[in-house]
Amino acid sequence: MTGKHISFILSVALCFAPLASGQETMTEEHKRWLKEKFAAKHQALIPKVAVADMFYGCNTVRKTDPVPYQVPDIIRKMDKNLLAEKLKLCLGEETPQSDNALNFGLVGCFNDQLSELSDKERMEKMELVESAILRLSREQRQQSFTKCVTEQAIRYLQ
């Protein structure tokens, strides 16, 4: 499978996750309206969502914090400065721009996007996501993460 195919699979998985859970997806028109109405809030929320995803993915693997946080709770309830400190502690010597941090972010974002699926379906899709992460170039992973976080932030505006 080529990188383009894997990137496409990630995009398709993201787009169809709400359909698989029985939820209706927002129309493009509704998304556009939300972006226009909440553009400033959306732009302010994107960095926190990205950091939340990175921390979730990192903490799931490295377990630097004993609390098994869920992405929605991190985004909605955790102070952004505390979140930044927790990510820094989890990443250790690495920076948020590192490959590992990007991979953690993808895992966190897709895990959140697929959270409405059954455990079995989510685990199957997350295996595909994790497999795809290993095959994608950094640029493709960055594009996928940017798209995923943007969509995710829209959901948290509602």
Side-chain angles (χ1 to χ4, degrees):
M1 218 183 282
T2 68
K4 286 183 180 181
H5 289 106
I6 295 166
S7 182
F8 177 75
I9 289 170
L10 283 175
S11 296
V12 169
L14 176 61
C15 291
F16 288 105
L19 288 176
S21 68
Q23 295 180 338
E24 292 184 29
T25 59
M26 284 187 271
T27 65
E28 289 303 315
E29 182 179 323
H30 184 68
K31 287 180 188 179
R32 221 176 2 265
W33 175 80
L34 279 174
K35 281 183 184 178
E36 289 171 9
K37 182 165 178 67
F38 299 105
K41 282 184 179 181
H42 184 249
Q43 289 303 312
L45 187 57
I46 287 174
K48 185 174 185 185
V49 170
V51 173
D53 289 334
M54 287 179 193
F55 172 65
Y56 173 85
C58 183
N59 195 50
T60 299
V61 172
R62 297 183 178 171
K63 300 184 185 341
T64 56
D65 193 311
V67 178
Y69 295 103
Q70 295 302 309
V71 174
D73 292 334
I74 298 169
I75 294 169
R76 291 183 179 129
K77 298 176 183 175
M78 192 177 289
D79 172 75
K80 66 180 180 180
N81 294 323
L82 177 61
L83 175 57
E85 286 300 316
K86 287 183 177 287
L87 177 61
K88 183 177 178 181
L89 177 67
C90 192
L91 290 177
E93 297 293 316
E94 296 176 275
T95 69
Q97 292 75 32
S98 71
D99 279 336
N100 279 334
L102 177 57
N103 294 347
F104 289 144
L106 282 163
V107 167
C109 192
F110 279 99
N111 187 68
D112 186 45
Q113 293 285 354
L114 301 171
S115 65
E116 299 297 320
L117 298 175
S118 71
D119 287 344
K120 182 183 178 201
E121 288 177 300
R122 186 174 25 79
M123 288 183 357
E124 289 171 355
K125 297 218 183 302
M126 285 306 296
E127 284 179 22
L128 290 173
V129 167
E130 290 175 14
S131 174
I133 288 171
L134 297 174
R135 292 186 179 100
L136 291 172
S137 69
R138 178 171 175 81
E139 181 180 340
Q140 291 167 319
R141 286 180 287 133
Q142 185 62 56
Q143 288 172 352
S144 293
F145 185 54
T146 299
K147 181 176 180 177
C148 188
V149 168
T150 300
E151 293 290 321
Q152 191 181 17
I154 290 171
R155 284 186 32 223
Y156 286 99
L157 286 174
Q158 299 179 35

